[in-house]
């Protein structure tokens, strides 16, 4: 029987759930959302699809339907995401800063009770970079508290992880939908940088064990499969 396979994004959703049940200081995630993440019920929304489209420009450097004056259209899950020329250039300029980088690389690590997997947005030399589109102000603490960088540094055997943030100012899904051409896009500078530390692997193992206890107590382990990851 194959071991359960857990996405890092699922572990981060679980971490936010158990942390915010105590602190309630930012971006709360209810238990229902954690269960949806485990089951694969969450298929995306405007925020995630805009992010996917922006990522695709950085990854490929060749967006379809691009025009130097009008910007570009990127199709995601049957939705047309629209960027203006300035936004397109921000993505291309960022790509140009990392000409030798590898994009969208997935790795796995066996932690005993389960295998944990993560897909790195970018591997640039010996450093990892994660590209995030955001729609409101976020504190550095939110990213520093995340388990994402801890698992990624462990899984990829790296020492340095950067969060690169790109903010669409004033975005509201009910108003803008998938067309962000009228919004200002700015890049958070400098990036939020995180470093490996001595007890990192032990911290990762402790969180995974707590998550597995949660999944087992609710009969959710059957959803933690490699096939589910690739859906």
């Amino acid at each position: 029987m194959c071991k359960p396979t857990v996405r890092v994004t699922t572990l981060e959703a679980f971490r936010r759930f158990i942390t915010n049940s105590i602190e309630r200081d930012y971006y709360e995630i209810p238990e229902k959302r954690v269960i949806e993440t485990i089951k694969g019920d969450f298929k995306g929304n405007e925020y995630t699809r805009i992010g996917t489209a922006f990522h695709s420009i950085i990854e490929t450097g060749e967006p379809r339907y691009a025009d130097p004056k009008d910007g570009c259209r990127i199709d995601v899950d049957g939705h047309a995401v629209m960027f203006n020329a300035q936004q397109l250039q921000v993505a291309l300029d960022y790509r140009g800063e990392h000409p030798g980088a590898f994009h969208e690389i997935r790795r796995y690590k066996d932690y005993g009770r389960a295998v944990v997997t993560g897909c790195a947005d970018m591997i640039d030399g010996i450093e990892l970079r994660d590209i995030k589109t955001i729609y409101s102000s976020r504190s550095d603490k939110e990213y520093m508290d995340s388990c994402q960088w801890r698992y990624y540094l462990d899984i990829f055997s790296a020492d340095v992880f950067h969060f690169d943030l790109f903010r669409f100012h004033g975005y509201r899904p009910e108003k803008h939908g998938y067309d962000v051409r009228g919004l200002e896009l700015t890049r958070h500078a400098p990036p939020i940088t995180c470093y490996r530390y001595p007890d990192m692997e032990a911290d990762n193992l402790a969180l995974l064990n707590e998550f597995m206890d949660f999944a087992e107590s609710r009969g959710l382990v059957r959803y933690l499969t490699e096939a589910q990851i690739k859906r």
Side-chain angles (χ1 to χ4, degrees):
M1 182 177 178
C2 295
K3 285 188 177 182
T5 302
V6 187
R7 295 183 183 94
V8 171
T9 52
T10 301
L11 290 167
E12 174 59 11
F14 174 72
R15 184 199 68 81
R16 291 191 177 196
F17 162 63
I18 60 174
T19 299
N20 286 316
S21 66
I22 301 171
E23 297 180 358
R24 299 192 179 277
D25 60 350
Y26 62 80
Y27 193 34
E28 296 178 29
I29 288 185
E31 181 175 347
K32 178 182 177 182
R33 178 64 182 275
V34 179
I35 293 173
E36 288 175 348
T37 303
I38 293 171
K39 290 183 175 181
D41 292 340
F42 179 68
K43 303 301 181 184
N45 54 28
E46 290 90 345
Y47 299 106
T48 60
R49 293 183 184 117
I50 291 168
T52 297
F54 192 76
H55 279 217
S56 73
I57 299 172
I58 295 171
E59 180 183 359
T60 66
E62 299 177 352
R64 297 179 63 188
Y65 313 113
D67 183 278
K69 293 183 179 179
D70 298 330
C72 65
R73 187 186 91 204
I74 307 290
D75 292 328
V76 180
D77 300 333
H79 300 273
V81 182
M82 308 294 292
F83 298 108
N84 64 32
Q86 180 267 336
Q87 295 161 348
L88 171 61
Q89 194 59 50
V90 168
L92 294 176
D93 287 347
Y94 175 80
R95 173 183 169 84
E97 294 172 12
H98 309 279
F102 296 94
H103 299 262
E104 299 295 321
I105 305 298
R106 181 170 293 282
R107 296 273 176 83
Y108 300 79
K109 181 170 179 175
D110 190 333
Y111 281 86
R113 290 176 69 182
V115 174
V116 177
T117 182
C119 185
D121 287 346
M122 185 183 293
I123 302 176
D124 189 15
I126 60 173
E127 299 182 350
L128 304 180
R129 309 196 78 94
D130 191 73
I131 303 156
K132 293 196 180 297
T133 50
I134 62 175
Y135 308 90
S136 61
S137 61
R138 288 280 187 261
S139 69
D140 288 8
K141 180 180 184 298
E142 176 177 344
Y143 298 94
M144 299 297 292
D145 287 350
S146 167
C147 73
Q148 179 187 1
W149 63 270
R150 294 173 168 85
Y151 279 105
Y152 275 46
L153 290 181
D154 199 15
I155 293 169
F156 287 87
S157 299
D159 295 326
V160 183
F161 183 105
H162 304 282
F163 287 105
D164 289 308
L165 311 182
F166 297 84
R167 180 179 175 185
F168 289 93
H169 292 260
Y171 176 77
R172 298 202 308 272
E174 67 278 7
K175 178 179 179 181
H176 302 100
Y178 294 99
D179 188 348
V180 297
R181 288 176 294 180
L183 302 178
E184 178 188 9
L185 173 65
T186 59
R187 179 175 168 187
H188 185 287
I192 300 170
T193 301
C194 307
Y195 300 93
R196 173 182 288 273
Y197 59 92
D199 294 329
M200 187 178 70
E201 185 174 6
D203 289 345
N204 290 345
L205 182 59
L207 179 61
L208 176 65
N209 284 332
E210 189 171 0
F211 168 79
M212 290 302 297
D213 290 342
F214 170 88
E216 289 173 1
S217 70
R218 288 158 177 77
L220 297 169
V221 174
R222 68 182 185 274
Y223 296 103
L224 302 173
T225 66
E226 178 65 10
Q228 185 83 334
I229 300 290
K230 294 180 177 178
R231 281 178 58 184

